[in-house]
Amino acid sequence: MLGMNNSNKNKEARKSPVKRNGRTDDLAKMAASTHRPSKVRRMLNNYVVHCLEKEHLRSPSYSRCASTDNQCVVVCRTADEFRERSRETLNEKTVEELNLLDPDVKYASEAFGAVLQNLFCRGVKWGWIVGMFAFTGLACEIAVKHKRHELVGAFIDTAARHCETQESFRTFVESNGGWVC
């Protein structure tokens, strides 16, 4: 850096990633790029939007992904059934007791991730995957009701990242036909 004029220093600073909110600018740019989100991320997003629409709720910048393929329809229907049958245990009180509405988005997201870790701690099954979708939808719905819109993206990201990065999860889905219904 010695001997660089100010314009070269500025160029160098723009090239190196800067940490913000635990992510680097480069990662944030990549996430915001035009690359298509994964299938599971699109399905989670669509299910959350479906849950919000059913309750006549809206969250800024969340709308259905272009794809409303058969898998999304099946997941929505199955997760809705799961939520209906689990109404006594999957409710606002559960979300609050798990600290998912914590004022600190990072903490709330980590608490949500811990729920997912616990859900899949003994392996992966389709029923537990449906439960994950149902719980993600419920958590996002309650977050919006409490005017915590920033949690919607955090919960979708946490669930999608869990599905995309956990080897046991990916192996199970791939060895059982993938996301194709």
Side-chain angles (χ1 to χ4, degrees):
M1 288 281 220
L2 288 175
M4 279 191 192
N5 65 28
N6 281 341
S7 69
N8 285 342
K9 285 181 186 176
N10 290 339
K11 285 179 188 174
E12 194 63 33
R14 281 193 302 263
K15 286 182 188 175
S16 63
V18 176
K19 284 216 176 230
R20 288 193 186 133
N21 298 327
R23 299 178 77 189
T24 61
D25 281 344
D26 290 348
L27 290 175
K29 287 177 188 174
M30 185 176 79
S33 72
T34 58
H35 101 293
R36 187 178 169 111
S38 70
K39 175 83 171 184
V40 70
R41 188 174 295 271
R42 290 190 316 269
M43 290 170 65
L44 280 160
N45 181 79
N46 284 350
Y47 183 67
V48 166
V49 171
H50 163 79
C51 291
L52 295 177
E53 287 174 349
K54 276 181 41 177
E55 295 296 317
H56 306 289
L57 298 168
R58 294 194 50 159
S59 187
S61 65
Y62 284 93
S63 58
R64 287 190 193 270
C65 294
S67 170
T68 54
D69 54 17
N70 190 40
Q71 293 92 336
C72 292
V73 172
V74 170
V75 165
C76 285
R77 189 174 41 228
T78 309
D80 281 350
E81 257 181 60
F82 184 95
R83 277 185 65 181
E84 185 61 34
R85 291 181 182 178
S86 307
R87 205 173 20 193
E88 289 183 25
T89 55
L90 276 181
N91 53 43
E92 186 166 346
K93 183 179 177 189
T94 305
V95 169
E96 289 171 355
E97 287 174 351
L98 293 169
N99 294 318
L100 301 184
L101 297 176
D102 191 87
D104 181 352
V105 174
K106 184 177 182 207
Y107 181 82
S109 183
E110 288 171 356
F112 184 76
V115 170
L116 298 182
Q117 284 293 108
N118 191 45
L119 177 64
F120 296 108
C121 71
R122 290 175 293 189
V124 181
K125 297 181 180 184
W126 285 118
W128 296 343
I129 293 172
V130 169
M132 178 198 65
F133 273 85
F135 190 67
T136 302
L138 173 72
C140 290
E141 183 182 307
I142 292 169
V144 170
K145 285 180 180 177
H146 284 264
K147 309 279 190 251
R148 298 294 313 282
H149 298 274
E150 69 278 9
L151 291 176
V152 173
F155 293 157
I156 290 172
D157 287 345
T158 300
R161 198 170 38 255
H162 183 85
C163 298
E164 295 162 351
T165 62
Q166 296 296 314
E167 187 63 35
S168 60
F169 194 97
R170 287 189 327 220
T171 300
F172 174 84
V173 171
E174 289 169 8
S175 65
N176 285 281
W179 291 107
V180 180
C181 297

